[in-house]
Amino acid sequence: MAADAPSPATPPPWAWWQRGVIYQIYPRSFQDSDGDGVGDLAGILRRLDYLESLAIDCVWLSPIFPSPMRDFGYDVTDYTGVDPLFGTLEDFDRLLKALHDRGIKLVLDFVPNHTSDQHPWFQESRSSRYNPKRHWYLWRDPGPDGGPPNNWLSFFGGPAWSYDPGTGQYYLHQFAREQPELNYRNPEVLEAMRHCLRFWLERGVDGFRVDVIWLLIKDDQFRDEPVDPHWDGYHPHGRLKHIYTANRPEVHAIVRAFRALLDEYGERVLIGETNVPNDQLVQYYGAKLDECQLPFNFQLAYTEWQAPAVRALVHRYYAALPPGAWPNWLLGSHDLPRLATRLGSAQARVATLLLLTLWGTPTWYYGDELGLTNVPIPPEQVRDPQALNQPHLADRLGRDPQRTPLPWDGSANGGFAPPGATPWLPLGADYRERNVAAESADPRSMLSLFRALTRLRRATPALQVGAYAAVESGAEEVFAYSRELDEERYLIVLNFGGRGYRLDLRSVGAGARILLSTGLERCGRVPLGSLELAPHEGLVLYVEAPRWSATTERHRPRTLP
Ligand code: NOJ
Ligand code: MG
């Protein structure tokens, strides 16, 4: 597909994970129901009206499994339970049923690369070199100098190896030392994990987001990694090129084994955390589209925020997709600085419009719909192991600032936790003005914009599944494109800059109706020959009597979903 050609239409029927919007909840910070200052499942259950009001289609819950919480649930001691901090399995079943009753799917966060060091499997594994579970993990003899077996690094600082005096060997962990990595070259490990997946599939979950899926298999010869000449100079883990700890070719067989299991259960979704460059990312769809349906695409979160750069990356991504693959986009997560902090509040609105109108499934991070910004965390309140292990880099690498409690109203603790409770992380200083209640009452708020966009998207099949076509805007700072389905054409125009424009978009059609603007103040008919666009404004327009170019004609899907 040429770089700026329209996206090929994918034939119907479309699955829920193609049409819908995914909403990530970080459970510790959504709603605390029992006053321990940590969000819980009963809290989420109390907020279903809110989730419904967002017109999202699927909730992805960050991990809720029993865990010592060294990495806040990404260190699991039991893959088939619920941590008491969050509730019980019965609470989980209640939540799942209540979400399903409202037509909302539920995706769990599955963490197969590593367990907690408190997991019984690791306890057994470390008990003796001859324990049957010894080779469930990656144990190596010390290097010649008695130090780590090779130069591999942890994302959380320091070597990826820790010495275990009991058995005189090192074990591998690319995150905290309390997160030993499993050995997927041992078929027993894969079988054990598939068993855990089944447990949740049988309960009715709609899919999984798989943590660090690209790291699951390491080099079988444990070779040293070379120094990266393009190192950014500050992130210690980036000093090496991770050619032996990441993206090993054998990983794809593991992903296929997960996917095959999901396919036994009908329409379930496998989402991969694939925090890798474009060319590697698209490989996680699988040669026969038999791996992830949605390998997460982080590119909008990392790009320089300029219209030409964003347009180029969108086209590069679409062009790289294997035939039949479905794209996806995200702007935030518990690992990324807040959207409004990265882009500022005006461009955060433009980015939201982009995310919810591009071709591809959008994933949204809780709280970004309020325009929450990173909350400064005083040193004594830092909780994130990535920051605690590298205090000199805490300002740049700490992830607590984007994980703070959701403010529901202007009361004590923002309604997140009962008055008198101490939230596990502080709320933002602006929570009395920036909260769900205040923004619901303000027709121009970020929350009102988010709701207007998700509702428009839900009511407009072309925005969900229609073909994408590039539109030449004539202005360097303006990214424009259309979404097309049957005889309908929607035009999206996004101003990435601080000056206004008058655009000539007659190539798309003569006139249009504004359906939504980022300012939530414009609507009605406009001429496309001289379309006014305010600074930092984004528009969704319905094109009246569209002009079809030869290419769009060819790629237009013909069937309504
Ligand atoms: C990726 C998760 O998103 C992150 O929060 C976590 O620390 C690491 N994987 C380790 O599980
Ligand atoms: Mg609680």
Side-chain angles (χ1 to χ4, degrees):
M1 189 172 93
D4 59 351
S7 65
T10 307
W14 291 281
W16 63 266
W17 51 264
Q18 294 177 299
R19 303 179 57 156
V21 177
I22 301 170
Y23 182 84
Q24 181 189 357
I25 289 183
Y26 196 69
R28 296 182 69 87
S29 290
F30 199 66
Q31 174 69 62
D32 173 26
S33 72
D34 58 3
D36 62 1
V38 178
D40 41 52
L41 297 182
I44 300 173
L45 204 52
R46 257 175 50 198
R47 296 297 188 178
L48 294 186
D49 286 348
Y50 179 66
L51 293 174
E52 200 171 348
S53 80
L54 295 179
I56 50 96
D57 301 275
C58 173
V59 165
W60 149 33
L61 279 187
S62 280
I64 53 164
F65 315 111
S67 162
M69 302 290 165
R70 198 54 194 80
D71 190 19
F72 299 110
Y74 288 97
D75 48 330
V76 178
T77 50
D78 172 6
Y79 288 91
T80 57
V82 171
D83 194 284
L85 197 59
F86 296 127
T88 62
L89 259 179
E90 290 66 46
D91 292 330
F92 174 82
D93 289 338
R94 257 195 299 281
L95 177 62
L96 180 61
K97 173 157 190 326
L99 285 168
H100 282 172
D101 285 348
R102 295 182 187 232
I104 301 174
K105 308 282 185 186
L106 181 63
V107 161
L108 287 183
D109 207 320
F110 188 57
V111 192
N113 180 64
H114 41 269
T115 67
S116 159
D117 63 345
Q118 303 304 308
H119 196 295
W121 298 341
F122 188 69
Q123 297 287 313
E124 278 192 53
S125 185
R126 85 184 324 174
S127 68
S128 141
R129 289 193 188 203
Y130 307 103
N131 185 278
K133 291 222 167 41
R134 184 65 171 180
H135 299 295
W136 280 41
Y137 293 83
L138 293 157
W139 292 98
R140 304 293 287 170
D141 285 334
D145 58 352
N150 66 20
N151 74 346
W152 294 356
L153 295 172
S154 160
F155 283 87
F156 290 175
W161 297 97
S162 281
Y163 185 67
D164 187 52
T167 53
Q169 285 192 310
Y170 282 82
Y171 64 89
L172 182 74
H173 57 84
Q174 296 188 73
F175 294 93
R177 65 163 63 224
E178 296 88 349
Q179 292 167 295
E181 302 209 7
L182 287 157
N183 173 16
Y184 277 87
R185 293 180 192 277
N186 181 343
E188 289 172 18
V189 171
L190 179 59
E191 240 357 87
M193 280 302 180
R194 279 169 44 106
H195 180 77
C196 301
L197 288 174
R198 262 190 210 288
F199 175 87
W200 297 106
L201 290 164
E202 295 287 340
R203 287 194 116 76
V205 307
D206 300 288
F208 301 93
R209 172 267 191 190
V210 183
D211 192 65
V212 294
I213 204 166
W214 80 104
L215 300 181
L216 288 177
I217 288 240
K218 310 358 124 167
D219 180 37
D220 56 356
Q221 297 167 54
F222 295 87
R223 284 171 280 191
D224 274 349
E225 292 189 322
V227 166
D228 188 344
H230 304 297
W231 181 39
D232 62 15
Y234 85 91
H235 196 304
H237 182 260
R239 198 165 54 73
L240 301 181
K241 275 173 85 159
H242 301 292
I243 57 173
Y244 294 129
T245 50
N247 268 313
R248 300 303 299 164
E250 302 95 315
V251 72
H252 294 283
I254 306 295
V255 184
R256 281 196 297 276
F258 290 152
R259 170 65 184 276
L261 179 65
L262 266 67
D263 283 350
E264 288 178 28
Y265 289 83
E267 211 178 65
R268 314 286 171 112
V269 70
L270 188 65
I271 301 173
E273 189 203 3
T274 40
N275 208 335
V276 295
N278 202 31
D279 55 326
Q280 293 169 7
L281 166 62
V282 295
Q283 292 176 14
Y284 287 86
Y285 285 101
K288 298 186 185 143
L289 297 186
D290 49 2
E291 297 184 27
C292 300
Q293 290 106 324
L294 303 176
F296 264 158
N297 166 17
F298 287 82
Q299 297 175 80
L300 284 180
Y302 296 143
T303 179
E304 170 201 9
W305 198 254
Q306 304 282 345
V310 172
R311 179 187 161 106
L313 93 75
V314 168
H315 291 175
R316 213 171 28 243
Y317 174 59
Y318 287 160
L321 290 175
W326 191 260
N328 74 89
W329 303 97
L330 59 80
L331 288 169
S333 85
H334 62 297
D335 295 327
L336 297 165
R338 282 281 182 190
L339 173 64
T341 295
R342 294 200 319 268
L343 301 187
S345 57
Q347 281 301 315
R349 296 173 82 108
V350 171
T352 305
L353 199 153
L354 173 77
L355 184 86
L356 290 164
T357 58
L358 272 178
W359 174 45
T361 304
T363 297
W364 188 260
Y365 184 52
Y366 90 100
D368 280 347
E369 71 275 19
L370 301 179
L372 295 189
T373 49
N374 274 16
V375 177
I377 308 292
E380 65 283 3
Q381 286 185 51
V382 170
R383 306 290 300 270
D384 175 17
Q386 182 158 267
L388 289 172
N389 291 357
Q390 307 170 89
H392 56 298
L393 293 169
D395 282 352
R396 297 178 88 157
L397 298 181
R399 299 170 298 176
D400 297 321
Q402 61 262 30
R403 298 175 174 180
T404 58
L406 191 72
W408 294 93
D409 55 45
S411 70
N413 286 332
F416 161 72
T422 307
W424 77 287
L425 284 176
L427 281 86
D430 57 354
Y431 87 84
R432 285 198 178 75
E433 304 83 52
R434 193 181 292 286
N435 59 56
V436 171
E439 292 202 32
S440 296
D442 173 0
R444 309 252 188 278
S445 66
M446 178 71 181
L447 180 56
S448 295
L449 174 65
F450 183 79
R451 284 176 166 147
L453 269 166
T454 50
R455 286 171 192 177
L456 176 64
R457 188 187 152 94
R458 187 171 274 178
T460 313
L463 293 180
Q464 301 165 21
V465 298
Y468 166 97
V471 168
E472 194 39 69
S473 77
E476 164 111 345
E477 290 187 310
V478 178
F479 179 23
Y481 52 92
S482 69
R483 300 292 308 281
E484 303 162 2
L485 188 69
D486 293 315
E487 298 310 313
E488 302 211 310
R489 187 166 193 191
Y490 294 81
L491 174 65
I492 291 92
V493 188
L494 301 165
N495 189 349
F496 280 58
R499 49 172 285 222
Y501 288 95
R502 184 186 299 267
L503 302 170
D504 180 355
L505 297 172
R506 270 171 301 174
S507 66
V508 181
R513 267 188 295 121
I514 297 179
L515 301 178
L516 190 150
S517 78
T518 43
L520 295 168
E521 49 210 353
R522 290 177 71 189
C523 56
R525 299 185 69 173
V526 281
L528 285 179
S530 63
L531 177 68
E532 304 264 6
L533 191 65
H536 303 294
E537 185 176 46
L539 297 174
V540 185
L541 303 122
Y542 176 76
V543 182
E544 293 171 337
R547 289 198 185 104
W548 302 102
S549 65
T551 38
T552 53
E553 191 61 40
R554 262 205 322 279
H555 287 286
R556 236 157 6 116
R558 286 282 162 197
T559 323
L560 267 173

